[in-house]
Amino acid sequence: MGFIEFTNTSVTYPGGLVALRDVTLTIDEGEFVVVVGLSGAGKSTMLRAINGLVPVSGSVLVDGREVVGASQSELRAIRSDVGMIFQTFNLVNRSRVVNNALMGRLSKVPRWRSLLGLWPAEDKEIALQSLERVDIVEKAYIRASDLSGGQQQRVGIARALAQEPKIILADEPVASLDPVTSHMVMRDLQRINQELGITTLINLHFLDLARQYGRRLIGLNDGVVVFDGDIADVNDEVFRGIYGRAITPDDLLNEK
Amino acid sequence: MTLFDPETQVRPVEPPRAVHYLLPLAVGIIATGVVSWAGPVGPLWGALVGLATFGVLFWIDVTKHWIDAVVLVVGGILGLSFFDWVLAARTGPIDFKLSLVAAIGWLIYGAATGFVVYRNRPGYRPTIIGYQALAWGGGATLALFTATSMGVLAPLNARQIGNGEIQALTVGLFVVTGLSAAAVGLGANLSLATRLPSLFAGGVVLVLTVMAYNEIQFSTAAIATQMTRIGEIADDFWPPVWKWPKSLGQPDTFNIIQPFIETFQIAIVGAVTGNLLALPLAFYASRMTSPSNVAYRIAKGFLNVVRTIPDLVWGIFFATAVGFGNPFAGALAMIMFSLSIMAKLLSETVDSISIGPLEAARASGATHTQVIEYAAFPQVKPNYVAYSLYIFELNIRASVVIGFVGAGGIGRLLNERRNFFQWDQVMAIVIVIFVSVLLIEWLSIWARRKLV
Ligand SMILES: Nc1ncnc2c1ncn2[C@@H]1O[C@H](COP(=O)(O)OP(=O)(O)OP(=O)(O)O)[C@@H](O)[C@H]1O
Ligand SMILES: [Mg+2]
């Protein structure tokens, strides 16, 4: 499980701006897909179409469940199977690391338990195990704000893992990290994809990172999919199609 | 290098959590209430209370060992037998002192629960044994004493407790509470850094005041000519008179305590209820966390209306509605007062929280309430606690004033004594108000400093 099917999917924001245009493609279970494109091309919009955080039309099937027109509780059910990782980590800074990880369990426990903060032992165990998986469990009872950027992003990954998701969406997960930490986090994500078989979609800014870790690449330009194929096939011409110009050192993390 | 290696990972110990202190205690206070209500019932109840506590500790994953059940049951039997024995051996009615002695039984039991938590949770220091013992003992004392003075324990009493006795006991309780409050306040030990700004502010106020006096032609010469009058006025006010007859022909009694406690209660009820009600309202009244635009507008509109009405008007309104001089009227007025301030302050704080965590929680499939509780509330929690203390402080002062318009409490007494021109009695009341407001302010400043 964990496949995603876009059929004539479009996203139109309230102001009338069409950020995603008529996308039709399928992502199979267990794939590791990298999405690239200029700023404003619609990368974040594409990820958010999958968990229904943006106004989407056409059809998006997640695991066979339709996102377009889903009710609030159907949406919550879909979202609970889709972990999301953010560029700015989006942790609750004042809360402890373990509580941030437990947020991934919110949709899985009875509401009265989450209301009183009486987490079942199994859910605490899952949260701690996901912290272990990204090697940050020794910070479990420290405030999230007291961690370094790379450590915070690992907590962000642990929060997504605690959902026991079928799909992980990572929106520029390394854009606010230094090169060394970026590679650590990318390796964590790759390992999770390989070991747990979780379908993974990552938005990236740097092309070499995409080449190093990705297999399949989706190129977006102004809301339109202009490339979808093996990352090895990306040549200067393809690149020009996505970015409208030739490759510069700015597009490569390792050149910086 | 962070390749996953479970061998090198060490899980830290979970630090103490409030729920581990509070839940057993809640069980204890309820159990004590039930047991004291049922009268002397023997060790069987002790065993039951022990089992109940074990159930709670089992449920919140503190202990899964049956040996702890045995410890708690034995502790319960010992504790309750002592409690019963003290009550059975008494010669007079149940007063505060007897409640205190009987509560030693519960103190023993509290130590047993503290021991169980300490034994099973490596993060706890042995002080939890003392805390639990004190809390259970204190809870039992208060429960027993309150139940007796409210008449719930009438069958247990050898005879009716006289009015004077109750007053004496209330005074005793009040003195104890006051002394501990004073101790905490003095312990606050405000540093020079906090005093400097207040000195500066004091200076500014002084200058402004002098200027204002000038403005209204307040000349020192006029004061000098009035000096003799001041002597007369001072004669009226000093020395303060603490005791006077309640009504004509009755002996002198200390009448300030009762309405003072009433004011205190009005302030507490008003602040606690108002602050709790304001919590959901504040999240509805912020665009950040409101479930919908309509909800936002309704909440905001309601708050705007409530806020334009001053506390005095609420006091008059509720005094008319539920009865002149009724403390309930004061409590209702203070609820509206606290609610409007808290909801305004908090919703403005919520406006400025970061939205990222909210989106993350929503993306994980959380409900709206869960998003607020886990992503929004933690961001404003310190503000909420600080505002609560501040509002309690305001409430004490405001509830004195609304007493004047018929909302009960010490304001009513002050107004009454003033109408009789009993200036020396008014002075005594003013001193009590002054000292207590000062104490509460110290406490609240200290607590707020602790929070930041
Ligand atoms: N909430 C919104 N309301 C209206 N327009 C939006 C909203 N979010 C994004 N847009 C617009 O949609 C387009 C695509 O935005 P999106 O965030 O998906 O781009 P992106 O490829 O992720 O860019 P970046 O690399 O800067 O993150 C942009 O023109 C953006 O201005
Ligand atoms: Mg983006």
Side-chain angles (χ1 to χ4, degrees):
Chain A
M1 291 311 224
F3 67 90
I4 303 161
E5 222 177 305
F6 289 96
T7 315
N8 304 115
T9 310
S10 296
V11 172
T12 311
Y13 282 112
L17 186 116
V18 183
L20 203 65
R21 254 174 240 276
D22 206 21
V23 172
T24 301
L25 57 86
T26 305
I27 292 162
D28 283 328
E29 183 193 336
E31 270 197 272
F32 192 92
V33 181
V34 177
V35 183
V36 294
L38 283 173
S39 178
K43 304 184 293 291
S44 304
T45 305
M46 186 169 168
L47 291 201
R48 283 169 169 72
I50 295 168
N51 54 12
L53 286 173
V54 291
V56 55
S57 62
S59 159
V60 180
L61 289 180
V62 176
D63 238 9
R65 288 171 294 182
E66 180 58 76
V67 173
V68 181
S71 71
Q72 279 302 316
S73 64
E74 284 166 351
L75 260 186
R76 281 201 302 271
I78 294 172
R79 286 171 183 170
S80 91
D81 285 342
V82 181
M84 193 156 191
I85 296 162
F86 303 83
Q87 174 180 352
T88 49
F89 323 137
N90 289 358
L91 301 183
V92 183
N93 283 328
R94 297 197 137 274
S95 297
R96 288 172 173 169
V97 165
V98 69
N99 284 59
N100 273 285
L102 276 169
M103 281 175 71
R105 303 298 305 163
L106 281 175
S107 59
K108 322 274 179 179
V109 296
R111 289 186 197 184
W112 66 269
R113 274 199 175 264
S114 72
L115 195 70
L116 297 177
L118 289 169
W119 294 91
E122 313 89 79
D123 294 272
K124 278 199 221 166
E125 182 58 30
I126 291 170
L128 287 170
Q129 278 176 7
S130 28
L131 289 171
E132 273 169 353
R133 199 161 268 286
V134 289
D135 200 8
I136 195 83
V137 77
E138 66 266 32
K139 308 280 186 194
Y141 299 106
I142 291 175
R143 274 192 188 187
S145 55
D146 292 342
L147 300 182
S148 72
Q151 290 172 328
Q152 291 196 16
Q153 189 58 296
R154 278 189 261 156
V155 177
I157 297 173
R159 176 177 60 194
L161 283 180
Q163 284 178 244
E164 299 181 308
K166 295 171 181 161
I167 297 168
I168 282 185
L169 309 173
D171 192 0
E172 305 203 28
V174 298
S176 11
L177 303 175
D178 62 74
V180 177
T181 325
S182 294
H183 281 292
M184 285 184 186
V185 167
M186 286 305 295
R187 262 196 299 271
D188 277 340
L189 288 170
Q190 193 181 40
R191 191 166 44 70
I192 286 160
N193 168 256
Q194 285 164 2
E195 285 174 8
L196 304 176
I198 300 174
T199 313
T200 307
L201 257 90
I202 305 188
N203 285 351
L204 282 181
H205 228 84
F206 296 112
L207 204 68
D208 53 345
L209 270 187
R211 276 215 181 101
Q212 194 170 344
Y213 296 97
R215 290 176 221 153
R216 175 174 171 190
L217 184 98
I218 293 175
L220 280 176
N221 188 333
D222 200 16
V224 179
V225 175
V226 293
F227 179 82
D228 180 4
D230 198 305
I231 224 156
D233 297 339
V234 178
N235 50 31
D236 268 4
E237 192 194 333
V238 169
F239 189 86
R240 205 177 288 275
I242 301 171
Y243 288 91
R245 56 176 170 77
I247 298 180
T248 63
D250 273 351
D251 302 316
L252 303 173
L253 176 72
N254 292 343
E255 302 292 317
K256 288 192 131 183
Chain B
M1 206 39 219
T2 74
L3 275 183
F4 178 54
D5 181 8
E7 304 298 307
T8 65
Q9 300 208 22
V10 184
R11 275 196 193 178
V13 167
E14 183 175 11
R17 288 182 59 201
V19 70
H20 293 155
Y21 286 83
L22 296 179
L23 262 187
L25 196 63
V27 174
I29 288 175
I30 294 167
T32 319
V34 170
V35 171
S36 348
W37 181 65
V41 278
L44 181 65
W45 275 98
L48 283 180
V49 170
L51 278 181
T53 314
F54 181 75
V56 169
L57 292 178
F58 187 89
W59 182 54
I60 61 176
D61 301 319
V62 168
T63 171
K64 305 277 178 196
H65 303 295
W66 287 105
I67 183 77
D68 289 323
V70 175
V71 170
L72 289 169
V73 166
V74 170
I77 292 174
L78 276 180
L80 258 205
S81 303
F82 182 88
F83 182 79
D84 269 1
W85 172 71
V86 171
L87 287 190
R90 78 190 190 281
T91 47
I94 299 176
D95 59 7
F96 189 67
K97 208 175 123 203
L98 190 77
S99 305
L100 209 58
V101 175
I104 291 176
W106 286 99
L107 201 85
I108 297 171
Y109 183 61
T113 65
F115 175 72
V116 167
V117 176
Y118 170 65
R119 208 176 74 84
N120 288 286
R121 286 272 162 175
Y124 286 80
R125 272 178 275 165
T127 44
I128 190 175
I129 300 176
Y131 284 144
Q132 286 284 332
L134 281 178
W136 284 70
T141 312
L142 285 182
L144 184 60
F145 173 62
T146 313
T148 313
S149 50
M150 279 181 359
V152 179
L153 291 186
L156 248 185
N157 266 330
R159 60 181 168 82
Q160 196 73 30
I161 296 184
N163 249 339
E165 277 175 280
I166 290 193
Q167 205 178 35
L169 295 172
T170 318
V171 170
L173 192 67
F174 175 69
V175 167
V176 172
T177 321
L179 282 181
S180 20
V184 178
L186 290 177
N189 210 348
L190 297 183
S191 71
L192 190 67
T194 48
R195 258 182 258 144
L196 271 182
S198 33
L199 284 180
F200 177 72
V204 172
V205 169
L206 195 71
V207 171
L208 288 179
T209 316
V210 171
M211 281 161 64
Y213 274 20
N214 245 349
E215 208 58 18
I216 57 169
Q217 309 292 318
F218 195 100
S219 78
T220 36
I223 294 184
T225 56
Q226 292 289 318
M227 259 325 200
T228 47
R229 271 287 295 146
I230 284 180
E232 282 169 40
I233 296 172
D235 265 356
D236 283 345
F237 277 93
W238 203 265
V241 168
W242 302 94
K243 290 180 160 193
W244 57 86
K246 246 201 156 116
S247 50
L248 225 62
Q250 285 198 343
D252 284 358
T253 45
F254 188 54
N255 298 321
I256 302 178
I257 285 302
Q258 195 47 49
F260 178 78
I261 292 178
E262 204 171 282
T263 292
F264 204 76
Q265 286 163 340
I266 290 173
I268 287 189
V269 169
V272 170
T273 318
N275 290 342
L276 284 179
L277 290 179
L279 200 54
L281 206 60
F283 287 106
Y284 272 70
S286 167
R287 280 199 191 279
M288 240 355 152
T289 48
S290 201
S292 73
N293 210 11
V294 178
Y296 168 76
R297 276 171 204 288
I298 293 176
K300 202 82 181 168
F302 173 73
L303 282 179
N304 281 337
V305 171
V306 172
R307 207 171 39 248
T308 49
I309 302 172
D311 48 343
L312 266 178
V313 176
W314 283 120
I316 295 170
F317 174 72
F318 286 119
T320 326
V322 305
F324 202 81
N326 190 337
F328 185 50
L332 287 175
M334 284 301 98
I335 288 174
M336 298 311 284
F337 176 72
S338 315
L339 178 106
S340 63
I341 302 178
M342 175 57 97
K344 180 181 165 57
L345 289 177
L346 195 63
S347 66
E348 275 167 13
T349 313
V350 173
D351 281 338
S352 64
I353 63 177
S354 57
I355 195 152
L358 308 189
E359 192 187 20
R362 207 169 293 132
S364 79
T367 63
H368 189 76
T369 318
Q370 289 175 325
V371 171
I372 290 180
E373 187 189 350
Y374 280 87
F377 182 63
Q379 296 191 52
V380 298
K381 194 161 113 190
N383 303 287
Y384 181 63
V385 179
Y387 297 157
S388 299
L389 290 168
Y390 172 61
I391 284 169
F392 177 64
E393 221 180 293
L394 292 182
N395 267 2
I396 288 278
R397 265 171 276 170
S399 54
V400 171
V401 175
I402 58 166
F404 273 85
V405 296
I410 204 162
R412 180 184 50 75
L413 186 71
L414 192 63
N415 194 28
E416 174 198 305
R417 292 293 106 189
R418 192 187 59 132
N419 288 338
F420 288 131
F421 304 110
Q422 301 292 339
W423 301 114
D424 37 13
Q425 296 170 9
V426 166
M427 191 67 208
I429 299 172
V430 168
I431 289 176
V432 169
I433 294 175
F434 177 77
V435 169
S436 51
V437 167
L438 211 65
L439 270 179
I440 285 160
E441 221 159 274
W442 276 354
L443 253 173
S444 146
I445 289 173
W446 171 77
R448 273 186 279 164
R449 261 162 45 86
K450 283 255 140 177
L451 285 171
V452 198

